[in-house]
Amino acid sequence: MTGTGTDDLDRTRRLMMAVIDGESSMAERQELEQVLARDAALAAEWTRLNRVKEVTATMALTEPPDEMWNSYWASVYNRSERRVAWLLILAGLVVLLGWGLWHLVPVLVEKLIGETTVPVVIRAAIAAVLTGGVLLVVSVIREQLSSSSRDKYDRRVSR
């Protein structure tokens, strides 16, 4: 096979895999034997593949000890409990922040913008900051909702 094209090499390697997996015909096995007789490098590769097949066929997986499983499940429970705890804390903070803003913003707006002694420029700046803040929050929420429904990849995947 030395000096032949990559198509021949690819075909030979596909034949090797078919023979090892028991998915080849007698004619394909004979073709492979002829190629291996002509090419020492491919014959060495064939020997290595057969050795890998032998080793993996005799391999046996061992069950981990019970102590390891107990440790694993304890860490899963700890992580789950902590995630739930953080979720509850964040949800509570969001509700409290929303409630506070709901009651504080109208009072602030009434006091600062409705006050005639505050210069118009300052009142306009306060209105701009409040409007910009609301637009920013709405934009972030909208983006999160639209990207989560379109995202093909799970966020837990490390990139």
Side-chain angles (χ1 to χ4, degrees):
M1 176 102 341
T2 306
T4 60
T6 57
D7 290 340
D8 291 337
L9 185 59
D10 288 343
R11 170 151 174 72
T12 302
R13 287 192 172 135
R14 279 194 301 275
L15 279 174
M16 286 180 182
M17 292 296 111
V19 170
I20 276 191
D21 293 338
E23 299 172 350
S24 62
S25 66
M26 183 58 85
E28 288 173 327
R29 276 181 258 152
Q30 289 172 350
E31 179 185 347
L32 179 62
E33 288 173 11
Q34 290 172 358
V35 171
L36 294 177
R38 291 190 308 260
D39 192 326
L42 284 174
E45 185 175 339
W46 175 246
T47 303
R48 286 191 303 272
L49 285 172
N50 276 316
R51 180 68 185 131
V52 168
K53 174 79 174 185
E54 289 171 13
V55 168
T56 56
T58 60
M59 251 185 198
L61 296 176
T62 59
E63 281 294 318
D66 286 340
E67 298 84 32
M68 192 189 104
W69 280 116
N70 293 339
S71 170
Y72 168 77
W73 285 113
S75 69
V76 168
Y77 293 141
N78 287 341
R79 286 193 309 265
S80 298
E81 289 169 348
R82 289 178 186 144
R83 284 183 181 158
V84 168
W86 278 113
L87 180 67
L88 290 172
I89 288 169
L90 290 173
L93 285 174
V94 165
V95 169
L96 290 174
L97 182 64
W99 181 81
L101 287 174
W102 184 261
H103 291 287
L104 180 65
V105 169
V107 171
L108 259 170
V109 169
E110 184 181 329
K111 293 272 187 198
L112 293 175
I113 294 180
E115 186 69 37
T116 56
T117 59
V118 177
V120 173
V121 173
I122 300 299
R123 288 188 284 173
I126 291 170
V129 167
L130 290 174
T131 305
V134 168
L135 284 173
L136 185 61
V137 168
V138 168
S139 174
V140 167
I141 291 170
R142 184 189 52 77
E143 180 184 10
Q144 289 297 318
L145 290 174
S146 68
S147 70
S148 66
S149 65
R150 289 181 292 144
D151 192 7
K152 296 187 298 188
Y153 303 102
D154 192 357
R155 294 182 190 272
R156 292 173 285 184
V157 174
S158 300
R159 297 178 189 186

